[in-house]
Amino acid sequence: MQMQTESAEILIVGAGPAGAVAAALLRRQGRQVLVIEREQFPRFSIGESLLPQSMQYLEEAGMLRAVVEAGFQYKNGAAFMRDGVYTAFDFRDKYSAGWGTTYQVQRADFDHLLAQEAQRQGAEIRFRHEVLDIELGQPGGRSRVTVRDPDGQQYQVDAGFILDASGFGRILPRLLDLETPSNFPVRGAIFTHVADGIGSDAGFDRNKIRVTVHPQHCNVWFWTIPFAGGRCSQGVVAETAFLDRYQGTPTERLQAIIAEEPSLSALLKNATWDTPARQITGYSANVDRLWGEGYALLGNAGEFLDPVFSSGVTIAVRSASLAAAALKRQFAGETVDWQADYGVPLRRGVDTFRAFVESWYKGGFQTIIFHAKQQPEIRRMISAILAGYAWDQGNPYVKETARRLAALEAACELA
Ligand SMILES: Cc1cc2nc3c(=O)[nH]c(=O)nc-3n(C[C@H](O)[C@H](O)[C@H](O)COP(=O)(O)OP(=O)(O)OC[C@H]3O[C@@H](n4cnc5c(N)ncnc54)[C@H](O)[C@@H]3O)c2cc1C
């Protein structure tokens, strides 16, 4: 039997932050957008601490007001704790211009809100529809997309351009064999939400994410992400071999690892563990290209580095903005060089974060931020990158990230 076929100017796979922001930006250009999302929203997702740089793209997409009014936990920085030593970056004090504050969000609510904002601007989102296959290279550079609806029926969409925002679903990288191994060891995270019971006398700054380093293993770390309403997201990240040493349910294993860190144990002593913990492993992924004839990969469907600097959503919405700008020119009849206009500029910021992540796990970044004497101007440059301004070529630590971090680490060790 012939499958039913319809047509779309632009088809977006996935309605996470990358897909929703791209859909809204394209609607603002007057394009017809069809978003296929396999889950029913609201749905759980990890990745709850935003960076101020992402606010620029939410604003561009006409979503800022809804996000500001939603009542999420205000965030103005990142704090780090190691062996009882505390250091905090205030993102309002940073080298690059732009937003200095943002939010920490329950992603079920946040992603639902962004999707509703995209719909409000005219994007059609089909929830519980799943993209099964994409055949690129059809006549006119179009693609044939096979979708399964909630009743299990399949249909096809003839699409002019595909934005793959399928996150860890990574549909096009898998279909086109674009995946390349990540050069990071396989790490995992165990995490949950708790009623944190942290009293106002605990010296805990709810306006900042707290990253706590394991006392014996500098490559094992915990996140504590406060939400509005007395709740926190609590997680641990380590190589899978480390996580595998702990027995029991994910909640018991998370609690056992937290028990090894005195400051975090004290902070969470009154917590109510009311939500079973989950584990996710092997999330880091690379691709050998971020675009091709008739498609571009957005957000996690392209690359995912590591959660330590909370860069995922920022990269996702930045990629949406860059792709929408390139498509605007393409639809205006200009020739777009996707490598120069999308692949290279997106990777620039990703590579800045990559150098920070590498330095974090080798211990160099920790030597720098926990050093007793720090130059305020250098701290402001680092603060800007931690706030997500990883694309600001005016910041020396963006321009020459690895070399500068190595030199700074050496200077700290000498001092
Ligand atoms: C442990 C951990 C902690 C993290 N912490 C942070 C953090 O604090 N801050 C931060 O910014 N980032 C964080 N991240 C990263 C963050 O989760 C992601 O970068 C972000 O969600 C990427 O958004 P996205 O829109 O690309 O993909 P997603 O948000 O994953 O959305 C993809 C959507 O595509 C849909 N989909 C998938 N396949 C199909 C298909 N075949 N058909 C239809 N729909 C499909 C999915 O259902 C999903 O809704 C963390 C990641 C991990 C692993």
Side-chain angles (χ1 to χ4, degrees), residues 14 17-18 37-39 43 46-47 49 107 131 165-166 300 307 310 312-313:
E37 166 57 58
R38 74 176 167 202
E39 304 284 337
R43 57 95 178 89
I46 195 65
S49 193
R107 284 286 301 278
V131 171
S166 63
N300 274 178
S310 307
V313 171

Side-chain angles (χ1 to χ4, degrees), residues 190-375:
I190 308 178
F191 51 88
T192 188
H193 290 176
V194 296
D196 57 66
I198 301 173
S200 51
D201 55 346
F204 181 58
D205 183 352
R206 297 197 77 89
N207 297 331
K208 293 181 176 64
I209 182 176
R210 184 180 289 195
V211 170
T212 306
V213 182
H214 189 285
Q216 278 88 44
H217 308 276
C218 81
N219 58 355
V220 177
W221 60 274
F222 305 88
W223 77 69
T224 307
I225 299 176
F227 295 134
R231 294 185 68 79
C232 269
S233 171
Q234 181 58 59
V236 62
V237 174
E239 289 183 24
T240 42
F242 179 91
L243 297 176
D244 289 347
R245 289 193 222 153
Y246 296 82
Q247 305 290 311
T249 64
T251 304
E252 288 163 346
R253 294 162 65 218
L254 175 58
Q255 288 172 328
I257 307 172
I258 289 173
E260 295 171 4
E261 209 296 317
S263 72
L264 194 52
S265 310
L267 198 63
L268 295 174
K269 66 179 189 298
N270 296 322
T272 308
W273 297 74
D274 53 12
T275 310
R278 312 174 183 213
Q279 176 163 354
I280 165 170
T281 38
Y283 36 70
S284 298
N286 291 351
V287 280
D288 57 20
R289 55 188 315 182
L290 288 166
W291 62 276
E293 187 67 34
Y295 75 88
L297 309 179
L298 306 186
N300 274 178
E303 302 219 336
F304 181 68
L305 294 170
D306 188 272
V308 67
F309 296 119
S310 307
S311 55
V313 171
T314 298
I315 292 170
V317 293
R318 171 94 184 191
S319 70
S321 169
L322 282 169
L327 279 171
K328 183 175 185 180
R329 293 182 32 229
Q330 190 156 305
F331 279 108
E334 289 179 40
T335 307
V336 173
D337 178 343
W338 279 85
Q339 183 61 6
D341 296 342
Y342 181 71
V344 169
L346 182 59
R347 276 231 159 90
R348 237 177 244 141
V350 173
D351 288 344
T352 306
F353 281 121
R354 188 191 311 284
F356 265 54
V357 169
E358 282 169 358
S359 178
W360 170 266
Y361 283 106
K362 284 188 194 141
F365 189 76
Q366 297 178 27
T367 303
I368 292 168
I369 61 168
F370 289 112
H371 194 261
K373 288 197 189 119
Q374 298 183 31
Q375 286 186 26

Side-chain angles (χ1 to χ4, degrees), residues 369-415:
I369 61 168
F370 289 112
H371 194 261
K373 288 197 189 119
Q374 298 183 31
Q375 286 186 26
E377 191 59 3
I378 293 181
R379 247 183 105 79
R380 292 178 72 243
M381 291 171 185
I382 290 174
S383 179
I385 295 169
L386 295 181
Y389 295 89
W391 289 265
D392 175 9
Q393 291 295 310
N395 182 342
Y397 281 80
V398 169
K399 217 156 175 223
E400 299 180 289
T401 317
R403 192 190 71 73
R404 290 228 174 222
L405 285 178
L408 192 54
E409 179 191 351
C412 290
E413 273 166 357
L414 211 65

